[in-house]
Amino acid sequence: MKTIKGLILREADRGEASKSICVLTAELGVIYVYVRGGKKSSKTSSSTQAFTYSALCLEEKKNAKGQVSYFLNSSEPVKLFYNIRLDAKRLALASYFSELIIYTGTESAGIDEVMRLALNTFYFLNEGKKDMELLRSIFEFRLLCEIGLRPDLIGCKKCFCYESDKMHFNFMSNNLECDDCCYNPDSIYDHVMDRTMLYIVRFIALTEYERLFAFTISPRYQQLLTEFTERFVRYHLKSNFPTLEFYKML
Ligand SMILES: [Zn+2]
């Protein structure tokens, strides 16, 4: 038996009465847990609902190939992000965040930073005071940074200048070039940033979690940021996310 804390990302029915839950944990990454009688039992219902952070007591079973399955023994809610469920748009955005985590998640250990990002983002989404598009941009870009795709944002990769009026970010090489050094500004992977955009992008990629959510930007820069982070996700994950399309429709 093992007790572990996890953020419930998704629930799925398993037969008449049971369900399985997909859980983000700092120790084991993304795991699936079978909840016997979970569709009906009121004992575990709040702590095994999507968008709840819970302490889960798990039973581990290994099959002949050594693959581990997890079964829920008992559970307690630690933090309920209850308000997310009260608003269709917030719920849609939370589902998109979950989908991104599941898509990028591995079974390997050591994803403390992803856990931290997810809990912080869900906290602000639940509170409802931060702009949802900004939360989306922060989450999309920082998640990919945390899983090993953090771009080289120190400066122009050729002349090493820190900033200029026009910097070119290249999605393929994942680094910056200034306007003078940019080899192929017409490349389909090129993305032009002014000083402010570069500052925002650097901030999201590099700042500590205590300050990560403590800023606001103008609608114009939000539009530019959304465009950038959406392209970044599309380039690296090469997948369409139905939950994102749904969120955009609302
Ligand atoms: Zn340069």
Side-chain angles (χ1 to χ4, degrees), residues 15-65:
E16 283 278 292
S18 298
K19 68 176 181 180
S20 79
I21 49 174
C22 180
V23 188
L24 172 67
T25 70
E27 293 90 342
L28 302 166
V30 174
I31 57 168
Y32 290 84
V33 177
Y34 190 75
V35 187
R36 286 186 205 93
K39 257 168 83 181
K40 288 180 178 156
S41 161
S42 58
K43 215 170 58 183
T44 57
S45 65
S46 69
S47 52
T48 60
Q49 253 181 11
F51 320 129
T52 304
Y53 185 53
S54 299
L56 308 166
C57 180
L58 304 178
E59 217 175 295
E60 275 178 296
K61 283 187 186 163
K62 254 187 203 162
N63 68 10
K65 287 179 187 162

Side-chain angles (χ1 to χ4, degrees), residues 1 5 12-13 21 41 59 73 100 102 109 137 145 155 159 162 175 209 222 224 229 232 248:
M1 213 78 88
K5 278 188 189 154
D13 290 348
I21 49 174
S41 161
E59 217 175 295
N73 188 271
L100 273 186
I102 295 165
S137 293
C145 288
C159 73
Y162 183 68
N175 54 31
Y209 276 96
Q222 182 57 61
L224 294 172
T229 60
F232 196 79
K248 285 186 187 171

Side-chain angles (χ1 to χ4, degrees), residues 155-162 164 167 176-182:
C156 170
K157 71 166 187 206
K158 290 189 180 130
C159 73
F160 306 110
C161 73
Y162 183 68
S164 69
M167 292 290 265
L176 294 165
E177 285 170 333
C178 70
D179 205 34
D180 296 335
C181 298
C182 187

